Every structure is written in C-alpha cells, then in structure tokens.
Amino acid sequence: MPLTPNPSDRLVRFDMEILARAINSMKSVYLLLRSGHWEHASGITRQLFELLVNMEYLGKQPSRWDATLLYCRFGLLQMALEHHRKAMYNKETGRYVDERRVAFLEKILDGSFDDFKGKPRPDGTTRWVTSWNRKNTKEMSDLSSDRMRPKQYVNLFASWSEQAHATPGSLMDNLFRDMEEDWWERAMESDTQKIVETASMALLLFLSLWRELPHAFPLPREQANAWTRRMMEIVAAPEFDALPGYRVGG
C-alpha cells in the first residue's frame, strides 16, 4: 500500500464530488421549476455558474493537482473558521465549549493558512481572502475561454443574485403589476417564460461544468447535444450551431 495518496485517484474523487454537487443542483432546479418556483431555482442556477467559472479557472492552471490542492485547502480554512465561530458563539452564550478543540482550531488558523491571509484589519485582527484564487466571480468570468461567460455574468448573474438574495428589485414586477381583468393570464405567461429561461440556462451551465471535469465520468456528448438542441428549440433559438457557448460536442 502506498504511503502517500495517488494524485490521480484524488483528482477523480474531486471531480466526481463536483459533478455530484452539480447533479444535485439540477435535481433541485427540476423540483422547483416543475412547481413554478423559478425565483428560487435562479439561486441554484447562480451556484452552477459560480462552480463553472471556478472549474474553468482551475482547469487553466499549469498544474491541475496543485490548483485542486489550493481549492481544497481554502475549503478546509472555511471549515475551520466556521467551527471556530460556532465555538465562540457557544462560549459567549454560556454553552459548553471544548477548550482543547478551540486551542487546536486557533493553532491551525494561526499557522497553517498564511497564504490566505490578506491585509490585517485596522484593529490588527486577521483578514482572510474571500476566494481560493483571490479572484471574484466577475474576474473568473472575464478570464474564461468561453466568450459568452462575461456576457452571462453581466446579463444573468446579477438577476440571479437579486432573486437569491430577495432584493427589493426582485419584487418590483409583482408589486407594480396592474390588476386589469387579464392580469392572471399575463402573470402565468411571464412565469412560464422565466421557467423556460431558467431551465435552459441551468442545463447549459450544467453541461459546460461537466465538460470541465476531465476525471469524472465522461460527458455523453451525443446525448448532451440532443438535450441542448431540444432546449434551444423550446426557447425558439433555431440557429443552434451559430450560438457561441452552447455547443457541447468537440
């Protein structure tokens, strides 16, 4: 038995976990959209977009193994910070706290993640960077090889974010909808359009994400193209072959 993990095995595990998360996201989108809840499905579609641009950026790095390790180390940092926050909350509210566990968390936070430390706050406390690669979603979108990605960020990501965070702007269409006799029919038509748009983008992002996972199960390209063509027919975009960013086959 080898004493160190096989990088190839770990890359398979990593890509399969990303694919599993994407599949669960698609199942959630399906369950929400079949009941007409496109607003909440938008937040999950937003998550697929974020996963996609992260995997696109990771895949462009000189060493996929090193980039994957960096991604996972940032995940461990987030986990350690979460556990420490919960411990501090329990301490502040008089609940039991395992002091040895807190000391362990503080030790690894102090010395194991220096590469994720940003400029200290004015009070001297540690400021952590907000992403594994020090780039936000927009920056990763702009660096994507797919020229549709920046346009999707500008035209879709902001709208998905408004729905995910239930901003005032996400409520305005309903608040200012006139109540004429046919208002119900118009509301249903608008919802149907949003459902179709959300479903089509979720599918396209899911397939693009799967394509970025070389160590996961192979993407069934013929079937994926058939799904995509059918979706483009539904959204009335017959010029499928001329649309950038929508082709799945090589």
Side-chain angles (χ1 to χ4, degrees), residues 112-127:
S112 299
F113 299 102
D114 289 349
D115 50 332
F116 293 129
K117 291 179 179 178
K119 183 180 179 180
R121 295 188 179 90
D123 63 0
T125 57
T126 300
R127 188 196 305 273

Side-chain angles (χ1 to χ4, degrees), residues 87-88 90 95-105:
M88 292 301 96
N90 287 339
R95 295 176 171 84
Y96 169 76
V97 175
D98 185 337
E99 295 293 347
R100 289 183 300 177
R101 186 164 182 267
V102 171
F104 172 74
L105 288 170

Side-chain angles (χ1 to χ4, degrees), residues 23-243:
I23 290 172
N24 286 335
S25 295
M26 288 299 294
K27 288 192 285 188
S28 299
V29 168
Y30 167 73
L31 291 172
L32 288 166
L33 291 182
R34 71 182 296 191
S35 301
H37 301 305
W38 64 267
E39 303 96 326
H40 302 285
S42 294
I44 303 171
T45 307
R46 176 183 186 269
Q47 184 182 124
L48 284 168
F49 183 87
E50 291 184 280
L51 269 177
L52 171 57
V53 296
N54 273 274
M55 291 303 103
E56 286 179 332
Y57 184 88
L58 186 149
K60 292 174 66 175
Q61 302 313 298
S63 168
R64 188 176 186 89
W65 173 245
D66 289 343
T68 300
L69 284 179
L70 188 66
Y71 184 98
C72 292
R73 285 188 62 253
F74 188 74
L76 290 173
L77 168 63
Q78 291 179 309
M79 183 184 297
L81 288 171
E82 178 185 3
H83 284 297
H84 188 262
R85 283 193 300 269
K86 288 181 178 179
M88 292 301 96
Y89 175 79
N90 287 339
K91 189 171 185 178
E92 291 169 2
T93 54
R95 295 176 171 84
Y96 169 76
V97 175
D98 185 337
E99 295 293 347
R100 289 183 300 177
R101 186 164 182 267
V102 171
F104 172 74
L105 288 170
E106 291 178 344
K107 180 179 180 180
I108 63 173
L109 286 171
D110 183 58
S112 299
F113 299 102
D114 289 349
D115 50 332
F116 293 129
K117 291 179 179 178
K119 183 180 179 180
R121 295 188 179 90
D123 63 0
T125 57
T126 300
R127 188 196 305 273
W128 300 100
V129 298
T130 57
S131 72
W132 66 279
N133 55 16
R134 295 175 180 260
K135 299 186 184 302
N136 58 34
T137 304
K138 182 182 185 305
E139 291 169 328
M140 286 185 281
S141 301
D142 291 338
L143 291 169
S144 172
S145 299
D146 191 322
R147 67 180 186 274
M148 285 298 294
R149 214 65 75 218
K151 295 180 174 61
Q152 290 167 345
Y153 179 86
V154 171
N155 296 308
L156 298 172
F157 189 80
S159 176
W160 294 332
S161 298
E162 287 185 357
Q163 295 299 333
H165 299 297
T167 66
S170 68
L171 306 173
M172 290 301 101
D173 281 345
N174 290 342
L175 285 175
F176 288 100
R177 178 180 291 150
D178 63 71
M179 303 299 287
E180 295 179 2
E181 185 176 350
D182 65 341
W183 75 270
W184 177 252
E185 289 80 3
R186 287 185 287 107
M188 291 296 293
E189 181 180 351
S190 175
D191 273 6
T192 299
Q193 180 181 352
K194 292 290 188 180
I195 289 168
V196 171
E197 290 174 353
T198 304
S200 64
M201 284 308 307
L203 174 63
L204 295 172
L205 293 173
F206 170 71
L207 294 177
S208 295
L209 174 58
W210 195 345
R211 186 177 55 193
E212 293 296 323
L213 303 174
H215 298 91
F217 292 135
L219 173 68
R221 293 186 181 276
E222 290 187 10
Q223 187 174 14
N225 270 325
W227 293 338
T228 309
R229 286 181 182 278
R230 178 56 181 152
M231 181 58 71
M232 299 311 293
E233 290 172 3
I234 293 172
V235 300
E239 299 299 325
F240 168 74
D241 291 325
L243 291 173

